[in-house]
Amino acid sequence: MDKIVLASNNKGKLAEFQALFETLGIQLINQGSLGITEAEEPYHTFLENALTKARHASAAAGLPALADDSGLVVPALNGAPGVLSARYASTAGGEKSDSANNHYLVEQLQTVQDRRAFYVACLVFVRHVEDPCPIVAQSFWHGEIVADARGENGFGYDPHFYLPDLGCTAAQMDKAHKNSVSHRALALKKLMLELKDYA
């Protein structure tokens, strides 16, 4: 196994993942560079959507595939934004953007006292499209939502995702620190341990 297709067209994500896979002697290929379209994500769970994306990319490329599905969960909002994190505001007629999503989230929490939240990252690796035993790595990053945006680093809900233990939002952290403790970083560490045994 020397090549894996990444079920994403996000260049930043490709660079982040590729740096880790190079240590295993594995080349990570962006699905867009192979002309593979993005898969539908019709499910209500991160796991089902990640598995669907991985199988779609593997079938189209004829290679092992890696996919991730991630987002923010607020228990007091019945788990919203959840798998709709990237387009949360658009579910209420707003635009699809980070600023609109954050504005809508804060609006939904105006009368809510429990503002606990957590980021989820679910990674799925399939050896081939019919892999009966995909490798799944899932991790969480716990914090709470604050009404006022703080910090200019990060993206998504980071300016409103406050970490009480660190006394800052995810957007106030430097990139290196965030990439060592975030939900995606922890999920990647789990996945790499599994892949080292496989590779």
Side-chain angles (χ1 to χ4, degrees):
M1 183 178 69
D2 58 356
K3 292 182 180 179
I4 294 175
V5 60
L6 177 65
S8 171
N9 293 322
N10 185 309
K11 292 181 180 178
K13 193 178 294 183
L14 176 68
E16 180 183 348
F17 287 10
Q18 182 66 69
L20 290 170
F21 278 89
E22 282 176 354
T23 64
L24 296 179
I26 297 172
Q27 180 186 3
L28 205 59
I29 305 168
N30 181 297
Q31 69 177 7
S33 68
L34 300 176
I36 300 171
T37 59
E38 292 188 357
E40 295 293 325
E41 300 178 49
Y43 300 107
H44 298 292
T45 69
F46 296 103
L47 174 57
E48 288 173 298
N49 285 327
L51 181 57
T52 297
K53 290 190 282 188
R55 285 177 172 161
H56 172 79
S58 181
L63 292 168
L66 172 67
D68 87 298
D69 202 40
S70 54
L72 181 74
V73 172
V74 181
L77 297 179
N78 294 319
V83 297
L84 300 175
S85 292
R87 52 189 187 279
Y88 188 42
S90 66
T91 64
E95 66 179 38
K96 182 182 175 183
S97 70
D98 286 352
S99 59
N101 290 337
N102 279 305
H103 179 77
Y104 185 56
L105 175 63
V106 170
E107 188 178 74
Q108 294 302 297
L109 288 170
Q110 279 183 345
T111 60
V112 178
Q113 288 189 337
D114 182 1
R115 296 191 169 203
R116 289 175 298 168
F118 57 91
Y119 273 127
V120 180
C122 182
L123 305 178
V124 173
F125 172 79
V126 294
R127 297 160 185 85
H128 51 83
V129 67
E130 297 179 353
D131 190 345
C133 191
I135 295 175
V136 177
Q138 185 167 267
S139 285
F140 309 94
W141 198 19
H142 293 272
E144 59 189 55
I145 302 302
V146 291
D148 54 317
R150 306 175 193 173
E152 297 180 0
N153 300 325
F155 56 92
Y157 299 93
D158 287 356
H160 293 271
F161 187 71
Y162 182 74
L163 302 151
D165 291 347
L166 299 176
C168 66
T169 67
Q172 291 174 303
M173 300 174 68
D174 66 70
K175 188 175 181 180
H177 188 195
K178 180 188 173 187
N179 287 344
S180 68
V181 299
S182 73
H183 52 306
R184 185 172 286 114
L186 296 178
L188 267 171
K189 286 176 185 175
K190 289 182 180 180
L191 184 78
M192 297 307 286
L193 287 173
E194 296 271 2
L195 281 177
K196 281 176 182 175
D197 289 339
Y198 177 76

